[in-house]
Amino acid sequence: MACVNWVGAGDPSSPSKPPAKSRWLKLRTTVQLGGAITQSHKKPPLKREDSFLKRFSTRQSAEPTTQSAHRSFIASQRVLNPDENALFMWLSVLTACVLHNAWTLIVRQAFPELQHAVPRLWFGLDLTTDVVFLADIGVQFRTGYLEQGLMVCDSAKLARHYIRSQRFALDLLALTPLDLVQLWTGPLPIVRIPRFLKLYRAVRFYYMAESRTIYPNMWRVVNLVHILLLLAHWFGCFYYMISELEGFCGSWSYPNPRSDLHYTMLARKYLGSVYWSTLTLTTIGDLATPSTNLQ
């Protein structure tokens, strides 16, 4: 058997086996063809978009076109951020207009000579505050707000949010044109009292300033003193108006300017009235007893 196997292995007429390299090439070609056929029959995988993740993702989506993305960027730049300096500066201007009405209307009503002294100045200041209040409506239409932690910059949503709020009704009532009554009655500053409805914007400025200052306690003290002075100012003017309405009768009312020329000066009348209101608010001093029910 050993001789037969040796002879057969060396016989040139016996069939030879293919080399190992050619067998490897055929196997690789077969595998490549099978993989190509399998890939041709496979369907492309479905792309599922998670709306929740897409909503809260910080990356820009590739679906919108460049032009629409540019328009969206410009629209977001035109919206006021409620925490930025631009809105803070605007509220400071608006608060100055609110304080103008709070301090000047009652004193011009109680002391007409002050109103008649510089009528053009008062008219210009009143007109300026009305323009600022009207512009504030446009500002609030473009002021963003947070919805689920995201800043809303869409114009339609901003408009609906503002119109459906109580602020819109207050802003419209604040601009009630009661000033037209002065065309028939003459100067009557107290008819501008609806402008006080804009006080809520001044309160917003107060809290923004308190959060920005490094001395919040001092800011609170300053505002408290300002409120006390404003109350003394208003009560002093009411005191003089009541005294004038009743003809300066009794020891409780302001001294009659007709009987004593020393009390006819505007500064004297105002300071005397504020002095009386300060004593009354602080409950110090010996004040006269009112002699009438109105007093």
Side-chain angles (χ1 to χ4, degrees):
M1 289 296 296
C3 293
V4 174
N5 289 337
W6 178 81
V7 173
D11 189 4
S13 62
S14 62
S16 61
K17 295 182 180 180
K21 183 176 181 181
S22 62
R23 291 200 304 268
W24 170 250
L25 292 176
K26 289 181 180 181
L27 179 60
R28 189 180 64 176
T29 305
T30 304
V31 172
Q32 290 177 352
L33 291 175
I37 296 174
T38 304
Q39 291 294 332
S40 63
H41 290 287
K42 283 185 178 180
K43 294 182 179 180
L46 296 177
K47 184 180 180 181
R48 180 179 179 273
E49 295 183 357
D50 195 330
S51 59
F52 179 83
L53 295 178
K54 182 179 179 181
R55 180 181 180 86
F56 290 94
S57 176
T58 58
R59 295 181 299 176
Q60 296 292 336
S61 175
E63 294 181 0
T65 60
T66 305
Q67 186 176 2
S68 61
H70 182 64
R71 288 198 301 264
S72 177
F73 176 76
I74 294 178
S76 63
Q77 294 299 314
R78 294 177 180 175
V79 173
L80 284 176
N81 190 316
D83 296 324
E84 288 184 351
N85 293 330
L87 183 61
F88 179 76
M89 297 301 297
W90 171 254
L91 287 178
S92 64
V93 174
L94 188 66
T95 301
C97 296
V98 173
L99 294 180
H100 161 73
N101 288 283
W103 279 92
T104 64
L105 294 187
I106 187 64
V107 70
R108 288 155 55 190
Q109 182 67 36
F111 306 102
E113 55 268 37
L114 181 62
Q115 171 68 30
H116 296 303
V118 281
R120 293 184 178 180
L121 175 63
W122 298 125
F123 177 78
L125 292 176
D126 293 343
L127 182 61
T128 302
T129 58
D130 291 346
V131 172
V132 173
F133 290 168
L134 183 62
D136 184 58
I137 296 178
V139 170
Q140 296 198 66
F141 268 111
R142 300 301 303 167
T143 302
Y145 66 95
L146 295 179
E147 185 180 47
Q148 298 181 357
L150 296 177
M151 179 66 65
V152 177
C153 299
D154 184 69
S155 301
K157 288 185 178 180
L158 293 177
R160 286 195 301 268
H161 179 76
Y162 175 53
I163 292 175
R164 294 174 182 176
S165 65
Q166 187 180 8
R167 296 177 287 115
F168 182 68
L170 291 177
D171 291 340
L172 291 182
L173 292 175
L175 291 175
T176 304
L178 294 180
D179 302 56
L180 300 178
V181 176
Q182 301 181 73
L183 297 177
W184 294 276
T185 62
L188 196 63
I190 201 63
V191 297
R192 292 177 52 84
I193 199 169
R195 305 299 188 272
F196 293 162
L197 294 175
K198 297 292 291 186
L199 183 63
Y200 78 94
R201 296 288 276 173
V203 174
R204 173 72 181 278
F205 169 77
Y206 166 78
Y207 285 113
M208 289 187 68
E210 183 181 6
S211 63
R212 289 167 176 257
T213 181
I214 60 176
Y215 303 105
N217 292 329
M218 181 175 293
W219 174 252
R220 297 188 189 103
V221 171
V222 170
N223 278 275
L224 178 60
V225 173
H226 173 258
I227 292 174
L228 294 177
L229 292 176
L230 186 61
L231 288 176
H233 172 78
W234 272 76
F235 288 145
C237 294
F238 277 131
Y239 167 73
Y240 185 85
M241 292 169 66
I242 292 175
S243 300
E244 187 178 26
L245 181 63
E246 294 191 335
F248 304 99
C249 65
S251 58
W252 178 88
S253 65
Y254 184 82
N256 193 344
R258 300 183 183 90
S259 59
D260 191 347
L261 298 179
H262 184 67
Y263 295 99
T264 58
M265 297 178 59
L266 175 61
R268 178 72 178 184
K269 290 191 291 187
Y270 174 75
L271 293 177
S273 301
V274 172
Y275 176 73
W276 173 91
S277 65
T278 303
L279 294 179
T280 304
L281 289 174
T282 55
T283 64
I284 59 176
D286 188 12
L287 299 176
T289 305
S291 57
T292 64
N293 292 334
L294 181 59
Q295 294 177 3

